[in-house]
Amino acid sequence: SYMSENRSHSDGSVIQGGEAFFRNVLESIQEVYLKRNPTAKAVLDLVQSVDNDKLVYDHLAFRTFGVNGYGIESLAGFFLDNGYTQRDELKFPGKKLRAFWFAPPADSSSGTGSGMRGPLPRVFISELLVDQMSPQTQEIIKKYTESSGNGNKYGALASSLGHLTWEKPLYSEFQQLASESEYAAWTLVNGHALNHVTISAHRLKTHLKDINKLNEFLEKSGFKLNSEGGVLKVSPDGLLQQSSTVADSVSFQFADGVTESVPCSYIEFAERLVLPEYENLPLAEVKESHRRDGFEASSADKIFESTSKEQLSRVSS
Ligand code: OOG
Ligand code: NI
Protein backbone atom coordinates (compact mmCIF):
# COMPACT_ATOMS: atom_id res chain seq x y z
CA SER A 1 0.00 0.00 0.00
CA TYR A 2 1.06 3.61 -0.32
CA MET A 3 1.91 3.79 3.40
CA SER A 4 4.73 1.32 3.04
CA GLU A 5 6.13 2.61 -0.22
CA ASN A 6 9.91 2.65 -0.34
CA ARG A 7 12.15 4.52 -2.71
CA SER A 8 14.69 2.55 -4.67
CA HIS A 9 18.11 4.02 -5.29
CA SER A 10 19.93 3.95 -8.56
CA ASP A 11 22.25 1.29 -7.12
CA GLY A 12 19.31 -0.85 -6.14
CA SER A 13 19.52 -0.36 -2.37
CA VAL A 14 16.27 0.42 -0.61
CA ILE A 15 15.72 2.63 2.40
CA GLN A 16 12.87 1.39 4.54
CA GLY A 17 10.63 2.25 7.43
CA GLY A 18 11.24 5.34 9.55
CA GLU A 19 14.21 6.49 7.52
CA ALA A 20 12.19 6.35 4.29
CA PHE A 21 9.53 8.53 5.91
CA PHE A 22 12.15 10.94 7.28
CA ARG A 23 13.80 11.35 3.89
CA ASN A 24 10.46 11.86 2.15
CA VAL A 25 9.70 14.70 4.58
CA LEU A 26 13.11 16.22 3.77
CA GLU A 27 12.26 15.91 0.06
CA SER A 28 9.00 17.79 0.62
CA ILE A 29 10.79 20.51 2.58
CA GLN A 30 13.22 20.82 -0.34
CA GLU A 31 10.44 20.86 -2.93
CA VAL A 32 8.78 23.84 -1.21
CA TYR A 33 12.17 25.59 -1.09
CA LEU A 34 12.98 24.96 -4.77
CA LYS A 35 9.55 26.15 -5.93
CA ARG A 36 9.83 29.36 -3.99
CA ASN A 37 13.47 30.12 -4.69
CA PRO A 38 14.31 30.02 -8.41
CA THR A 39 17.92 31.06 -7.75
CA ALA A 40 18.55 28.08 -5.48
CA LYS A 41 17.01 25.79 -8.11
CA ALA A 42 19.02 27.36 -10.93
CA VAL A 43 22.27 27.05 -8.97
CA LEU A 44 21.60 23.38 -8.17
CA ASP A 45 20.77 22.68 -11.82
CA LEU A 46 23.84 24.53 -13.07
CA VAL A 47 26.25 22.84 -10.66
CA GLN A 48 24.76 19.47 -11.49
CA SER A 49 25.03 20.16 -15.23
CA VAL A 50 28.81 20.58 -14.87
CA ASP A 51 29.48 18.16 -12.05
CA ASN A 52 26.92 15.66 -13.21
CA ASP A 53 27.18 13.27 -10.36
CA LYS A 54 25.40 13.09 -7.02
CA LEU A 55 25.26 16.32 -5.04
CA VAL A 56 25.84 16.05 -1.30
CA TYR A 57 24.31 18.52 1.15
CA ASP A 58 26.60 19.73 3.91
CA HIS A 59 23.73 21.12 6.00
CA LEU A 60 20.19 22.48 6.11
CA ALA A 61 19.30 25.63 8.08
CA PHE A 62 16.14 26.91 9.76
CA ARG A 63 15.17 30.04 11.75
CA THR A 64 12.79 30.29 14.70
CA PHE A 65 11.42 32.62 17.40
CA GLY A 66 12.92 31.75 20.79
CA VAL A 67 9.75 32.12 22.86
CA ASN A 68 7.09 29.82 24.38
CA GLY A 69 8.34 26.63 22.73
CA TYR A 70 8.64 28.23 19.27
CA GLY A 71 12.44 28.25 19.32
CA ILE A 72 15.05 25.70 18.26
CA GLU A 73 13.05 22.88 19.90
CA SER A 74 10.15 23.45 17.47
CA LEU A 75 12.27 21.82 14.73
CA ALA A 76 14.96 19.96 16.65
CA GLY A 77 12.60 17.20 17.84
CA PHE A 78 12.03 15.95 14.33
CA PHE A 79 15.76 15.52 13.74
CA LEU A 80 16.52 14.15 17.23
CA ASP A 81 13.75 11.57 16.78
CA ASN A 82 15.46 10.52 13.55
CA GLY A 83 18.87 9.83 15.02
CA TYR A 84 20.47 13.26 15.07
CA THR A 85 22.62 14.43 18.00
CA GLN A 86 22.64 17.94 19.42
CA ARG A 87 26.09 19.53 19.16
CA ASP A 88 27.58 22.95 19.90
CA GLU A 89 25.78 26.15 20.70
CA LEU A 90 26.71 29.25 18.68
CA LYS A 91 26.10 32.76 20.02
CA PHE A 92 25.40 35.93 18.08
CA PRO A 93 25.01 38.64 20.73
CA GLY A 94 25.05 41.48 18.17
CA LYS A 95 22.13 39.96 16.28
CA LYS A 96 20.37 38.73 19.45
CA LEU A 97 20.40 35.18 18.14
CA ARG A 98 21.72 31.81 19.15
CA ALA A 99 21.90 28.50 17.35
CA PHE A 100 22.65 24.83 17.80
CA TRP A 101 23.85 22.44 15.17
CA PHE A 102 22.87 18.80 14.99
CA ALA A 103 24.96 15.92 13.65
CA PRO A 104 23.31 13.24 11.49
CA PRO A 105 23.23 9.61 12.64
CA ALA A 106 26.57 7.87 12.08
CA ASP A 107 25.09 5.25 9.75
CA SER A 108 23.49 7.85 7.51
CA SER A 109 25.87 7.20 4.64
CA SER A 110 23.30 4.49 3.81
CA GLY A 111 21.92 7.18 1.54
CA THR A 112 23.57 6.62 -1.81
CA GLY A 113 21.48 9.01 -3.89
CA SER A 114 21.74 12.76 -4.45
CA GLY A 115 20.74 15.60 -2.11
CA MET A 116 18.19 14.48 0.47
CA ARG A 117 18.72 10.89 -0.73
CA GLY A 118 22.45 11.04 -0.07
CA PRO A 119 24.43 11.07 3.17
CA LEU A 120 22.21 12.95 5.64
CA PRO A 121 23.20 16.61 6.12
CA ARG A 122 24.05 18.40 9.36
CA VAL A 123 21.28 20.70 10.57
CA PHE A 124 21.72 24.29 11.83
CA ILE A 125 18.77 25.76 13.76
CA SER A 126 18.85 29.29 15.15
CA GLU A 127 16.44 31.29 17.29
CA LEU A 128 15.77 34.96 17.97
CA LEU A 129 16.32 35.92 21.63
CA VAL A 130 12.82 37.36 21.79
CA ASP A 131 13.11 38.62 25.39
CA GLN A 132 15.88 40.98 24.24
CA MET A 133 13.61 42.71 21.69
CA SER A 134 11.64 45.92 22.33
CA PRO A 135 8.20 45.56 23.94
CA GLN A 136 6.48 46.37 20.59
CA THR A 137 8.41 43.67 18.75
CA GLN A 138 7.86 41.12 21.52
CA GLU A 139 4.15 41.85 21.46
CA ILE A 140 3.91 41.18 17.71
CA ILE A 141 5.90 37.95 17.92
CA LYS A 142 3.79 36.72 20.84
CA LYS A 143 0.57 37.66 19.03
CA TYR A 144 1.48 35.42 16.09
CA THR A 145 3.01 32.51 17.97
CA GLU A 146 -0.08 32.49 20.22
CA SER A 147 -2.39 32.61 17.18
CA SER A 148 -0.80 29.40 15.97
CA GLY A 149 -2.30 27.18 18.68
CA ASN A 150 0.19 24.39 19.17
CA GLY A 151 1.92 25.03 15.86
CA ASN A 152 5.32 24.75 17.55
CA LYS A 153 4.79 20.99 17.74
CA TYR A 154 4.53 20.81 13.97
CA GLY A 155 7.51 22.77 12.68
CA ALA A 156 8.63 20.02 10.30
CA LEU A 157 5.08 19.57 9.04
CA ALA A 158 4.75 23.31 8.38
CA SER A 159 8.09 23.30 6.59
CA SER A 160 7.16 20.36 4.37
CA LEU A 161 3.77 21.88 3.49
CA GLY A 162 5.15 25.38 2.93
CA HIS A 163 2.58 26.89 5.28
CA LEU A 164 2.91 29.26 8.22
CA THR A 165 1.53 27.87 11.48
CA TRP A 166 0.35 31.40 12.35
CA GLU A 167 -1.81 34.01 10.63
CA LYS A 168 -0.37 36.34 8.05
CA PRO A 169 0.77 39.58 9.70
CA LEU A 170 -0.01 43.20 8.86
CA TYR A 171 2.55 44.99 6.73
CA SER A 172 3.16 47.51 9.53
CA GLU A 173 4.04 44.63 11.88
CA PHE A 174 6.53 43.23 9.38
CA GLN A 175 8.09 46.71 9.13
CA GLN A 176 8.27 47.09 12.92
CA LEU A 177 10.17 43.80 13.18
CA ALA A 178 12.41 44.64 10.20
CA SER A 179 13.40 47.95 11.80
CA GLU A 180 14.78 46.04 14.79
CA SER A 181 15.83 42.64 13.44
CA GLU A 182 15.76 41.56 9.80
CA TYR A 183 15.93 38.00 11.11
CA ALA A 184 12.69 38.57 13.07
CA ALA A 185 10.91 39.99 10.01
CA TRP A 186 12.14 37.08 7.87
CA THR A 187 10.86 34.53 10.37
CA LEU A 188 7.47 36.23 10.69
CA VAL A 189 6.73 35.77 6.96
CA ASN A 190 8.70 32.58 6.24
CA GLY A 191 8.05 30.64 9.44
CA HIS A 192 9.63 27.20 9.46
CA ALA A 193 10.52 27.29 5.75
CA LEU A 194 13.93 25.92 4.85
CA ASN A 195 16.32 28.89 5.00
CA HIS A 196 18.99 27.22 2.87
CA VAL A 197 20.62 24.03 1.78
CA THR A 198 24.41 23.98 1.55
CA ILE A 199 26.23 22.19 -1.24
CA SER A 200 29.26 20.27 -0.01
CA ALA A 201 31.92 21.70 -2.34
CA HIS A 202 34.71 19.24 -1.49
CA ARG A 203 32.42 16.35 -2.41
CA LEU A 204 32.01 17.63 -5.98
CA LYS A 205 34.05 15.79 -8.61
CA THR A 206 35.22 18.53 -10.99
CA HIS A 207 37.32 21.69 -10.51
CA LEU A 208 34.27 23.14 -8.75
CA LYS A 209 35.27 21.22 -5.60
CA ASP A 210 37.57 24.20 -4.94
CA ILE A 211 35.17 26.74 -3.41
CA ASN A 212 37.08 29.66 -4.94
CA LYS A 213 36.57 28.17 -8.41
CA LEU A 214 32.93 27.47 -7.59
CA ASN A 215 32.39 31.09 -6.49
CA GLU A 216 34.11 32.42 -9.60
CA PHE A 217 32.02 30.14 -11.82
CA LEU A 218 28.75 31.19 -10.15
CA GLU A 219 29.58 34.89 -10.42
CA LYS A 220 30.55 34.49 -14.09
CA SER A 221 27.22 32.74 -14.61
CA GLY A 222 25.47 35.84 -13.27
CA PHE A 223 24.67 34.83 -9.70
CA LYS A 224 25.07 37.44 -6.98
CA LEU A 225 26.96 36.17 -3.94
CA ASN A 226 26.71 37.57 -0.41
CA SER A 227 29.64 40.01 -0.14
CA GLU A 228 29.38 40.72 3.60
CA GLY A 229 32.96 40.67 4.96
CA GLY A 230 34.11 39.32 1.57
CA VAL A 231 32.51 36.59 -0.55
CA LEU A 232 34.53 33.77 1.06
CA LYS A 233 34.00 33.30 4.79
CA VAL A 234 36.96 31.46 6.36
CA SER A 235 37.09 30.05 9.92
CA PRO A 236 40.08 31.16 12.06
CA ASP A 237 41.69 27.71 11.62
CA GLY A 238 41.31 28.13 7.85
CA LEU A 239 39.57 24.77 7.50
CA LEU A 240 35.93 25.75 7.02
CA GLN A 241 35.27 27.93 3.97
CA GLN A 242 31.79 29.11 3.11
CA SER A 243 29.95 31.34 0.65
CA SER A 244 26.31 31.90 -0.29
CA THR A 245 24.02 33.54 -2.79
CA VAL A 246 21.87 36.53 -1.92
CA ALA A 247 18.30 35.42 -1.08
CA ASP A 248 15.48 35.53 -3.61
CA SER A 249 12.47 37.62 -2.77
CA VAL A 250 8.82 36.68 -3.13
CA SER A 251 5.68 38.72 -3.32
CA PHE A 252 3.82 38.35 -0.03
CA GLN A 253 0.22 39.32 0.58
CA PHE A 254 -0.13 40.74 4.09
CA ALA A 255 -3.33 40.44 6.14
CA ASP A 256 -4.29 44.06 5.38
CA GLY A 257 -4.17 43.42 1.63
CA VAL A 258 -0.79 45.08 1.10
CA THR A 259 1.38 43.08 -1.29
CA GLU A 260 5.11 43.63 -0.89
CA SER A 261 8.22 41.78 -1.83
CA VAL A 262 9.90 40.03 1.12
CA PRO A 263 13.19 38.11 1.37
CA CYS A 264 12.95 34.36 1.02
CA SER A 265 15.75 31.78 0.96
CA TYR A 266 19.25 31.34 -0.46
CA ILE A 267 21.79 28.59 -1.17
CA GLU A 268 25.17 28.12 0.48
CA PHE A 269 28.44 26.37 -0.37
CA ALA A 270 30.92 24.86 2.09
CA GLU A 271 34.38 23.39 1.67
CA ARG A 272 35.69 21.46 4.67
CA LEU A 273 39.44 20.91 4.52
CA VAL A 274 41.26 17.83 5.85
CA LEU A 275 42.29 18.12 9.53
CA PRO A 276 46.05 18.48 10.12
CA GLU A 277 46.27 15.04 11.76
CA TYR A 278 45.06 13.40 8.54
CA GLU A 279 46.97 15.51 6.04
CA ASN A 280 49.10 12.56 4.93
CA LEU A 281 46.16 10.30 4.10
CA PRO A 282 45.90 9.56 0.37
CA LEU A 283 42.96 11.57 -1.01
CA ALA A 284 41.08 8.38 -1.93
CA GLU A 285 41.03 7.41 1.76
CA VAL A 286 39.83 10.76 3.09
CA LYS A 287 36.35 10.51 4.57
CA GLU A 288 34.04 13.24 5.77
CA SER A 289 35.10 12.42 9.37
CA HIS A 290 38.70 13.38 8.52
CA ARG A 291 37.61 16.91 7.67
CA ARG A 292 36.82 20.01 9.73
CA ASP A 293 33.42 19.52 11.37
CA GLY A 294 30.95 21.97 12.93
CA PHE A 295 30.28 25.63 12.25
CA GLU A 296 31.97 28.96 12.89
CA ALA A 297 30.12 31.82 14.58
CA SER A 298 32.16 34.60 12.94
CA SER A 299 31.36 33.23 9.49
CA ALA A 300 27.73 32.41 10.31
CA ASP A 301 27.27 35.99 11.49
CA LYS A 302 28.01 37.13 7.92
CA ILE A 303 26.03 34.36 6.23
CA PHE A 304 22.91 35.52 8.10
CA GLU A 305 23.21 38.70 5.99
CA SER A 306 22.27 36.71 2.85
CA THR A 307 18.65 37.75 3.50
CA SER A 308 19.42 41.39 4.43
CA LYS A 309 18.01 44.38 2.61
CA GLU A 310 21.56 45.63 2.11
CA GLN A 311 22.62 42.47 0.27
CA LEU A 312 19.35 42.13 -1.68
CA SER A 313 19.51 45.71 -2.96
CA ARG A 314 23.21 45.57 -3.76
CA VAL A 315 24.07 45.91 -7.44
CA SER A 316 26.46 43.08 -8.27
CA SER A 317 29.76 44.22 -9.68
C1 OOG B 1 22.00 30.88 9.02
C2 OOG B 1 23.33 31.55 8.81
C3 OOG B 1 24.52 30.73 9.29
C4 OOG B 1 26.14 28.82 8.54
O1 OOG B 1 26.31 27.85 7.80
O2 OOG B 1 27.01 29.20 9.33
C5 OOG B 1 24.83 29.55 8.43
C6 OOG B 1 20.80 31.67 8.57
O3 OOG B 1 20.90 32.54 7.69
O4 OOG B 1 19.71 31.42 9.12
O5 OOG B 1 24.07 29.14 7.62
NI1 NI C 1 24.59 27.54 6.55
Side-chain angles (χ1 to χ4, degrees):
S1 75
Y2 76 96
M3 289 299 288
S4 60
E5 179 197 3
N6 294 307
R7 296 287 187 101
S8 296
H9 293 286
S10 46
D11 67 357
S13 70
V14 172
I15 291 174
Q16 295 183 320
E19 189 184 336
F21 171 72
F22 178 65
R23 286 179 184 269
N24 276 309
V25 173
L26 295 184
E27 286 275 5
S28 291
I29 290 173
Q30 173 183 245
E31 211 172 292
V32 169
Y33 163 82
L34 294 178
K35 262 199 200 123
R36 232 175 248 171
N37 298 283
T39 298
K41 169 97 173 79
V43 165
L44 281 170
D45 288 348
L46 180 65
V47 171
Q48 212 145 20
S49 76
V50 174
D51 207 283
N52 66 35
D53 201 7
K54 295 158 186 168
L55 278 187
V56 177
Y57 290 157
D58 181 271
H59 65 270
L60 312 178
F62 299 92
R63 297 179 175 183
T64 66
F65 287 132
V67 68
N68 296 332
Y70 282 79
I72 294 167
E73 67 270 41
S74 69
L75 274 163
F78 180 64
F79 293 96
L80 293 170
D81 287 344
N82 283 284
Y84 278 68
T85 315
Q86 182 167 322
R87 300 290 294 271
D88 315 290
E89 181 184 12
L90 293 102
K91 293 183 173 168
F92 307 93
K95 289 189 161 66
K96 299 176 177 163
L97 302 173
R98 68 168 190 152
F100 274 96
W101 75 272
F102 298 82
D107 58 358
S108 75
S109 44
S110 62
T112 53
S114 193
M116 300 300 191
R117 307 246 162 239
L120 287 172
R122 296 169 188 80
V123 173
F124 180 99
I125 312 175
S126 55
E127 68 183 15
L128 181 71
L129 302 172
V130 176
D131 60 1
Q132 294 183 20
M133 296 286 117
S134 70
Q136 302 95 291
T137 289
Q138 288 197 39
E139 198 183 310
I140 295 166
I141 293 169
K142 285 175 186 160
K143 171 179 166 190
Y144 286 96
T145 50
E146 277 160 24
S147 86
S148 114
N150 288 319
N152 58 322
K153 292 187 191 162
Y154 307 102
L157 188 54
S159 191
S160 62
L161 282 174
H163 207 291
L164 294 173
T165 64
W166 48 75
E167 285 168 38
K168 288 187 166 198
L170 304 172
Y171 184 50
S172 59
E173 294 170 327
F174 173 80
Q175 286 178 304
Q176 161 65 31
L177 265 55
S179 72
E180 205 175 322
S181 160
E182 291 192 281
Y183 178 104
W186 189 94
T187 305
L188 186 67
V189 295
N190 288 284
H192 291 97
L194 181 59
N195 178 272
H196 61 272
V197 304
T198 298
I199 295 179
S200 179
H202 56 272
R203 285 181 277 190
L204 293 171
K205 299 288 174 300
T206 64
H207 65 292
L208 299 182
K209 70 166 79 168
D210 171 345
I211 196 168
N212 287 302
K213 299 234 168 77
L214 179 58
N215 290 341
E216 203 177 295
F217 170 70
L218 292 170
E219 284 186 323
K220 255 196 225 142
S221 308
F223 293 102
K224 188 166 87 169
L225 301 182
N226 169 353
S227 64
E228 183 72 25
V231 164
L232 191 67
K233 282 76 172 160
V234 182
S235 59
D237 62 13
L239 301 178
L240 175 59
Q241 309 199 349
Q242 296 163 277
S243 61
S244 59
T245 61
V246 169
D248 276 324
S249 33
V250 286
S251 155
F252 186 91
Q253 194 174 10
F254 288 89
D256 45 358
V258 177
T259 300
E260 278 291 334
S261 142
V262 300
C264 206
S265 300
Y266 60 92
I267 185 163
E268 190 194 307
F269 317 96
E271 181 176 347
R272 296 180 184 275
L273 304 190
V274 178
L275 293 165
E277 56 266 45
Y278 301 117
E279 68 189 2
N280 294 324
L281 270 185
L283 202 58
E285 284 170 34
V286 173
K287 303 217 165 67
E288 187 68 5
S289 60
H290 298 132
R291 295 179 181 272
R292 165 69 151 83
D293 204 357
F295 288 82
E296 190 60 50
S298 59
S299 299
D301 198 66
K302 299 176 189 112
I303 297 169
F304 277 115
E305 298 294 319
S306 307
T307 58
S308 74
K309 215 175 211 153
E310 191 182 319
Q311 286 295 323
L312 265 76
S313 61
R314 208 184 93 235
V315 178
S316 56
S317 50

